[in-house]
Amino acid sequence: MTIRILPAVGDPDAARAVSSLLSQLPDAEPAPPVADSAALLDALAAATAPGGAAPSTGVEGLPEVVLVHERIGPLPALELIREVALRFPAVGVVLITTDAGPALFAAAMDAGARGVVGLPLGYDELAARVRAAAQWSAGVRVHLGGSPDALPGPSGTLVTVTGAKGGVGTTVAAVQLALAARAAGRGVALVDLDLQSGDVASYLDVQFRRSIVDLAGISDISARVLQDAVHDHHTGLGLLLAPEEGERGEEVDDRAARQIVTALRARYDVVIVDCGSQMQSANAAAVELADVALLVTTPDVVSVRAAKRQVRLWDRLQIRKAADTTTVVNRLTRHTEIQPSLVARATGTQVARTPVPAAYKELQPCVDAGRMQDLDDRSTVRQALWALAGELGLAGPSAAAHQGRGGRRPRAALTGRKRRALTAGPVPRPVPAPGAVPRSGGRGGPAARSAGPFDPAGPYEEG
């Protein structure tokens, strides 16, 4: 999403410095600087005039951000800001000044500015003020009837994955959902908000010295600061990891979590947050902001009771209602007495149509090696979680059919009956009667109809 910026800088040296920094901002489209207040007002009026030179008229034709230098003339800078705010309320104005003290800051806010940048200019401060002003402009334009699709601001889908209790498979689900979304061509960030015992780094074989704690004390998270804290994994995922020292997780409060999640949503199409199973202020804020909140449970009495407690906790704290929560049933077998329909009735939540089967033997080699990204594409667990990603709208059919190793075609998983059939040895062929004409043992032949080593009416055994 492009941020259009119009600088109003009268001093030539300052104009060159501003243009140089603006050219480095990601997703920015700076216009040539205008030299005085009259030229600025004329340019803004021309952008809104029907039939003007701008590609579109009205609100959509205006730049999102206007930068006003303190030495602009003939109108003084504060009066020019007040004039722009009155005539063009959908434009975010940022003042550039050598005096960034409290008095001037208050005067600029009273005039209608959305931020103040001190001289000499710094990249991080300028980028933060421009992005904040652009996001404010985006919200104003939505209410004024502008097209929200073309406006900058947080737009990525936020998905939180929370465990009913420890050990139900929360991190495996979060990692595989992120990989499925990435395989569909989406920009994906995977955040580990299990601040005391997060294992995303262990599951993906990552050693990275920065963590989410490094962003906790920053008031304005710029694109460069965020890039330094996020690890670019070779799978294409952006990883924001939990701290190595669990006690440092207390530094990430709800305010920091909201700010971090908002910054990530502005840069990634999908943000998946592993919230663990312990509710703290940080992951509670993430669940509250989430577009999709997943609650992972296993089909046993203890886990379902824990899921019910978690849902009630969210409701009491006004974090999320049960009807807005989707429960994922993990490690499901046909022998399980607690089926997804019963989980839905017990918790009052929606239950995902795609359950995840119990097949830890498929996961164990990748878990032990710390390379969950290498899970075979024929794995029933992987297929179920990638199908769940498609159900949630995180990945399309292309991701579900994506092959993880050399594009091999997926084979159907062996059921318990097929496994027993394989271990029981070859099926004996019937001996033809003397003089009988041999027939092919195809699908409709006698061999296909002969008794096998298992009874179709017998009990089903999960592999």
Side-chain angles (χ1 to χ4, degrees), residues 16 65 107 113 119 125 171 174 191 193 258 282 383 391 435 454:
R16 283 192 294 270
V65 180
L119 289 171
E125 184 182 10
T171 303
V191 184
L193 262 183
R258 292 176 186 275
Q383 290 175 0
E391 178 184 334
F454 60 89

Side-chain angles (χ1 to χ4, degrees), residues 184-209:
R186 316 284 294 276
V188 183
L190 177 58
V191 184
D192 196 345
L193 262 183
D194 189 359
L195 297 173
Q196 292 186 349
S197 54
D199 283 324
V200 168
S202 299
Y203 275 80
L204 292 174
D205 191 23
V206 172
Q207 293 182 352
F208 192 58
R209 61 185 181 88

Side-chain angles (χ1 to χ4, degrees), residues 34-45:
V34 294
D36 54 46
S37 58
L40 173 63
L41 295 175
D42 290 344
L44 295 177

Side-chain angles (χ1 to χ4, degrees), residues 6 34 36-48 75 79-81 83-85 87-88:
L6 178 59
V34 294
D36 54 46
S37 58
L40 173 63
L41 295 175
D42 290 344
L44 295 177
T48 59
L75 274 180
E79 292 200 18
L80 177 59
I81 292 172
E83 183 72 15
V84 172
R87 292 178 56 183
F88 311 100

Side-chain angles (χ1 to χ4, degrees), residues 63-438:
E64 283 76 30
V65 180
V66 167
L67 300 178
V68 176
H69 193 270
E70 62 178 356
R71 295 182 182 177
I72 196 72
L75 274 180
L78 293 180
E79 292 200 18
L80 177 59
I81 292 172
R82 185 175 291 107
E83 183 72 15
V84 172
L86 289 174
R87 292 178 56 183
F88 311 100
V91 176
V93 185
V94 176
L95 175 64
I96 302 175
T97 177
T98 54
D99 179 16
L104 182 61
F105 182 85
M109 296 300 106
D110 291 341
R114 303 308 310 171
V116 176
V117 180
L119 289 171
L121 290 175
Y123 174 88
D124 291 339
E125 184 182 10
L126 180 62
R129 298 292 176 262
V130 165
R131 185 168 292 278
Q135 291 180 1
W136 175 87
S137 175
V140 172
R141 294 181 189 212
V142 170
H143 293 291
L144 293 179
S147 173
D149 295 336
L151 299 178
S155 61
T157 302
L158 176 61
V159 180
T160 57
V161 186
T162 307
K165 66 182 190 66
V168 296
T170 307
T171 303
V172 171
V175 170
Q176 288 298 323
L177 289 175
L179 291 172
R182 182 66 191 124
R186 316 284 294 276
V188 183
L190 177 58
V191 184
D192 196 345
L193 262 183
D194 189 359
L195 297 173
Q196 292 186 349
S197 54
D199 283 324
V200 168
S202 299
Y203 275 80
L204 292 174
D205 191 23
V206 172
Q207 293 182 352
F208 192 58
R209 61 185 181 88
R210 294 192 180 275
S211 71
I212 192 171
V213 175
D214 295 310
L215 300 177
I218 301 176
S219 57
D220 291 312
I221 301 176
S222 66
R224 182 173 295 180
V225 170
L226 189 64
Q227 184 178 2
D228 290 341
V230 173
H231 173 72
D232 294 326
H233 197 252
H234 66 84
T235 58
L237 300 178
L239 304 180
L240 188 55
L241 303 173
E244 190 71 24
E245 304 84 6
E247 65 274 12
R248 295 197 62 196
E250 298 179 358
E251 301 176 27
V252 184
D253 56 10
D254 57 339
R255 181 202 61 80
R258 292 176 186 275
Q259 189 173 12
I260 292 168
V261 167
T262 301
L264 289 169
R265 295 180 69 186
R267 293 182 55 84
Y268 292 92
D269 301 322
V270 177
V271 179
I272 296 180
V273 181
D274 179 2
C275 293
S277 58
Q278 297 296 323
M279 275 293 100
Q280 299 170 340
S281 60
N283 45 26
V287 172
E288 183 180 2
L289 294 174
D291 300 303
V292 179
L294 300 180
L295 181 61
V296 182
T297 184
T298 50
D300 56 82
V301 173
V302 175
S303 294
V304 174
R305 285 179 177 173
K308 190 174 182 178
R309 286 197 304 269
Q310 191 75 273
V311 170
R312 288 179 174 178
L313 173 64
W314 290 351
D315 186 62
R316 289 196 305 272
L317 298 180
Q318 298 183 350
I319 296 172
R320 199 170 195 90
K321 294 185 177 298
D324 298 330
T325 304
T326 301
T327 300
V328 179
V329 181
N330 190 23
R331 301 173 191 158
L332 184 68
T333 69
R334 293 188 184 181
H335 290 305
T336 305
E337 294 184 7
I338 300 177
Q339 292 295 316
S341 57
L342 181 57
V343 175
R345 291 196 300 270
T347 60
T349 63
Q350 308 174 46
V351 174
R353 296 190 305 271
T354 308
V356 184
Y360 185 71
K361 289 183 180 179
E362 299 174 359
L363 296 174
Q364 187 170 4
C366 295
V367 171
D368 293 342
R371 297 184 61 84
M372 187 55 60
Q373 68 272 19
D374 292 340
L375 184 62
D376 198 298
D377 57 317
R378 294 173 295 179
S379 164
T380 56
V381 174
R382 179 185 183 275
Q383 290 175 0
L385 288 171
W386 284 44
L388 175 63
E391 178 184 334
L392 299 175
L394 305 179
S398 59
H402 179 77
Q403 306 305 316
R405 293 187 178 182
R408 294 180 296 180
R409 298 179 60 185
R411 297 189 305 182
L414 295 177
T415 64
R417 295 176 179 176
K418 290 181 180 178
R419 285 195 180 98
R420 288 195 292 150
L422 290 177
T423 57
V427 179
R429 293 178 177 247
V431 180
V437 179

